[in-house]
Amino acid sequence: MNNQITVIAFDADDTLWVNEPYFREAEEHFAALLENFLPRHSTVVELYKTEIANLPLYGYGIKGFMLSMIEAVLRITEGKVDPAIIQKVIDLGQEMLDKPVELLDGVEDVLKALHGKFRLVVATKGDLLDQQRKLTKSGLDHYFHHIEIMSDKQEKDYQKLIKHLDCKPEEFLMLGNSLKSDVLPVLAIGGNAVHIPFHTTWVHEHIDHTIEHPNFYQMENLSEVLLKLMI
């Protein structure tokens, strides 16, 4: 691996801690609430379409997901919904916000090994308040030099982060579970990126091509980065 690396950035959701399974679980409950109106699979499709349409308005995160669920309910039921269902949708979202933070295997050991040798950064997207809450609950915040909670992860967002950190792209390494958000934009600006897949990934984060790039690394778990960096 590039020996010029001085900054290591970590995605948060499904890289440091569990996140996506909570959304899939909420989707299942949501679809069950509306099974008198649509088959469950069709309800999930409608919800996804609503989420994607709303991304420019709400961004990523649980609160936007809640608003999209409410909008989907009103459209699917043509406004003839029992208010109790709307309340159950709100309850689903609030339960997600109250979930415990479950660290993925080996995360804290990796952070301990890297801490003091590199500048460690969280670079994640989502709702500011929710991500701050999860980071505090995780007990990991003291390992990080900087926390960046982005509205999106495009090339310009990473360029802004790298400028703020006063490092060169070749000195920057991003680790995350999304090829679309954590890998491709970083490689495009000359940085280094590691893909660590999670067993469940939101379909919006999928890509349909293979990545071949000298600064790209595929790993099965976070601990492998220590071997690559020879820690």
Side-chain angles (χ1 to χ4, degrees):
M1 187 175 278
N2 178 0
N3 60 11
Q4 298 180 68
I5 292 167
T6 61
V7 175
I8 301 178
F10 295 79
D11 174 48
D13 293 334
D14 301 319
T15 299
L16 297 178
W17 51 66
V18 174
N19 178 68
E20 190 61 22
Y22 299 146
F23 280 85
R24 300 291 73 81
E25 179 184 313
E27 270 185 3
E28 291 177 12
H29 290 304
F30 175 76
L33 290 174
L34 297 176
E35 59 186 354
N36 290 334
F37 295 90
L38 271 183
R40 293 192 183 194
H41 173 73
S42 299
T43 297
V44 170
V45 170
E46 286 299 313
L47 175 57
Y48 176 72
K49 284 161 47 178
T50 308
E51 287 180 85
I52 298 305
N54 284 336
L55 280 178
L57 291 173
Y58 306 143
Y60 297 85
I62 295 172
K63 293 173 187 174
F65 181 64
M66 290 171 68
L67 289 169
S68 291
M69 284 194 291
I70 292 169
E71 183 179 332
V73 166
L74 293 172
R75 188 175 64 255
I76 289 168
T77 65
E78 298 179 343
K80 300 170 185 175
V81 60
D82 182 341
I85 290 181
I86 297 291
Q87 183 59 58
K88 287 178 181 177
V89 167
I90 294 171
D91 291 343
L92 277 176
Q94 291 179 340
E95 287 168 12
M96 292 174 72
L97 289 167
D98 199 39
K99 289 283 188 184
V101 175
E102 180 184 346
L103 297 183
L104 296 178
D105 289 345
V107 163
E108 188 153 20
D109 290 338
V110 169
L111 294 176
K112 283 179 181 177
L114 296 175
H115 189 245
K117 300 180 178 67
F118 300 87
R119 280 193 291 167
L120 305 184
V121 171
V122 172
T124 189
K125 63 185 179 185
D127 177 75
L128 177 63
L129 187 61
D130 187 37
Q131 294 295 58
Q132 288 177 332
R133 174 191 63 81
K134 287 190 281 190
L135 188 60
T136 300
K137 276 189 172 183
S138 75
L140 301 176
D141 45 348
H142 63 284
Y143 289 109
F144 297 106
H145 166 81
H146 177 72
I147 311 298
E148 188 80 9
I149 300 174
M150 308 168 174
S151 58
D152 204 352
K153 284 182 170 179
Q154 305 291 334
E155 291 174 33
K156 61 181 175 60
D157 301 297
Y158 284 105
Q159 287 169 333
K160 179 182 175 183
L161 174 60
I162 286 173
K163 182 178 180 181
H164 176 79
L165 294 170
D166 193 25
C167 70
K168 298 174 183 177
E170 58 268 27
E171 297 172 337
F172 181 83
L173 174 65
M174 180 71 197
L175 294 86
N177 68 298
S178 170
L179 291 167
K180 183 177 179 180
S181 294
D182 301 318
V183 172
L184 290 177
V186 174
L187 296 179
I189 65 171
N192 305 273
V194 173
H195 179 231
I196 305 166
F198 188 67
H199 62 81
T200 303
T201 302
W202 190 28
V203 65
H204 182 64
E205 297 293 336
H206 292 180
I207 65 170
D208 58 4
H209 62 277
T210 301
I211 298 175
E212 294 184 9
H213 193 285
N215 295 350
F216 171 63
Y217 307 90
Q218 181 74 51
M219 299 182 187
E220 290 303 312
N221 58 70
L222 196 60
S223 301
E224 286 185 43
V225 75
L226 299 180
L227 298 175
K228 288 289 185 182
L229 292 167
M230 291 188 254
I231 299 298

